[in-house]
Amino acid sequence: MQAVREKGDYRHDYSSLMATDKVKNETGAARFKEPYTGPGCAGGILIGVSYFLCVLFFPFSLCYTIKVITEYERVVIFRLGRVLPGGAKGPGLLFILPCVDEIKMMDLRTVCRDIRPQKILTKDCVNITVDAVVYSRIFNPNLSVCYFENPHLSISIMAATTLRKTLGKRDMAEIICDRKKIAREITRKFDRQTANWGIKLERIEIKEIKLPKDMERSMAAEAEAARQARAKVITAKGEQNASQALKEAADIMSQSPAAIQLRYLQTLKSVAAKNNSTILFPLPMQLSQGYSHS
């Protein structure tokens, strides 16, 4: 299977491919597990000639026939166009026949690819732009090289399509709050779809969700209003507690006139301690009442 590039965009209809290739889905990798019947008469002659050339130009032919495969790589050998039985080869030394064998080197390490920003319309009709990253690795080189021309590119394109479908069924608030849950759901879908493709989607992470400017301003205003409302509630509760404490203090001080006088003197001391040039000296109300009666 091969992704097609048109005008800079990679597009591939995976659903139509799997619908038209129903036998592949049902039998898994049976397409590439046909019994190896051998190269045939003409192929045997070509292989014999290749061995003869290797012997004839020995030891110089070793430069072309011996390959070193690293620990994280595997090699799929095509001999006269057919995949050799026994699976991928490596790591270590590998012997290939010149002019007969064609090798495809496959890297088993995890590859990280950025998904192009996807513009998505959510369930509550909000346009958002999502940036994501995909981690994938090849676990079966034979299937991967036969199914895909570029496995990691194809899996990233399919991840973008699945991401759009999944996020389009959710509300904006759910997308912002449940990123990890959405990533696990997409990974499970890939495990079912790519089980027989030789490549596995390990993780998909949503890096950033960009909202429209108007939506950002409205959400900021809503958050600010909510903060102000909470601040007013906290202030009101503080004033309520303070008034209750003052009422209790007034009730206690009303029972003892000396306590009121001591509090009065304490207030004068605190005012005079600030080096003020003017000191307000309040008179008791009882004094003014005595003068009025006289």
Side-chain angles (χ1 to χ4, degrees), residues 113-120 128-134 163 167 179 204-210:
R113 295 183 69 96
D114 287 326
I115 298 178
R116 294 181 306 169
Q118 304 293 316
K119 293 184 178 180
I120 302 170
I128 61 175
T129 303
V130 179
D131 290 338
V133 61
V134 173
L163 182 66
L167 297 185
R179 296 187 183 185
I204 179 170
E205 294 289 341
I206 299 176
K207 296 191 301 182
E208 185 180 5
I209 299 176
K210 298 180 181 178

Side-chain angles (χ1 to χ4, degrees), residues 102 119 130 196 239:
E102 179 184 358
K119 293 184 178 180
V130 179
N196 300 318
E239 292 178 355

Side-chain angles (χ1 to χ4, degrees), residues 13-55:
D13 190 358
Y14 289 90
S15 59
S16 63
L17 174 65
M18 300 308 293
T20 55
D21 199 3
K22 185 177 180 180
V23 177
K24 295 178 187 177
N25 272 341
E26 294 177 348
T27 60
R31 174 186 174 186
F32 306 110
K33 291 184 178 180
E34 297 177 1
Y36 184 73
T37 57
C41 182
I45 294 174
L46 292 177
I47 294 174
V49 171
S50 180
Y51 276 112
F52 175 75
L53 293 176
C54 292
V55 175

Side-chain angles (χ1 to χ4, degrees), residues 86-199:
K89 313 300 181 190
L93 293 178
L94 179 66
F95 178 81
I96 62 173
L97 293 176
C99 306
V100 175
D101 290 346
E102 179 184 358
I103 64 173
K104 293 290 185 180
M105 195 80 67
M106 305 300 293
D107 197 328
L108 301 185
R109 294 177 293 184
T110 300
V111 176
C112 174
R113 295 183 69 96
D114 287 326
I115 298 178
R116 294 181 306 169
Q118 304 293 316
K119 293 184 178 180
I120 302 170
L121 181 64
T122 62
K123 187 178 180 180
D124 50 353
C125 299
V126 178
N127 287 316
I128 61 175
T129 303
V130 179
D131 290 338
V133 61
V134 173
Y135 297 87
S136 59
R137 66 177 178 86
I138 295 173
F139 66 90
N140 192 322
N142 279 25
L143 294 178
S144 179
V145 75
C146 292
Y147 265 114
F148 297 101
E149 180 183 7
N150 191 330
H152 296 289
L153 176 61
S154 302
I155 210 74
S156 64
I157 296 172
M158 188 175 180
T161 305
T162 308
L163 182 66
R164 286 197 301 268
K165 292 180 180 179
T166 304
L167 297 185
K169 301 177 182 178
R170 298 176 180 268
D171 297 333
M172 183 191 66
E174 188 178 0
I175 294 174
I176 295 176
C177 299
D178 297 337
R179 296 187 183 185
K180 293 184 178 179
K181 182 179 178 181
I182 294 172
R184 288 194 298 268
E185 180 181 348
I186 296 175
T187 304
R188 287 195 297 268
K189 290 182 179 179
F190 264 83
D191 289 341
R192 293 192 299 266
Q193 295 174 357
T194 64
N196 300 318
W197 291 359
I199 186 169

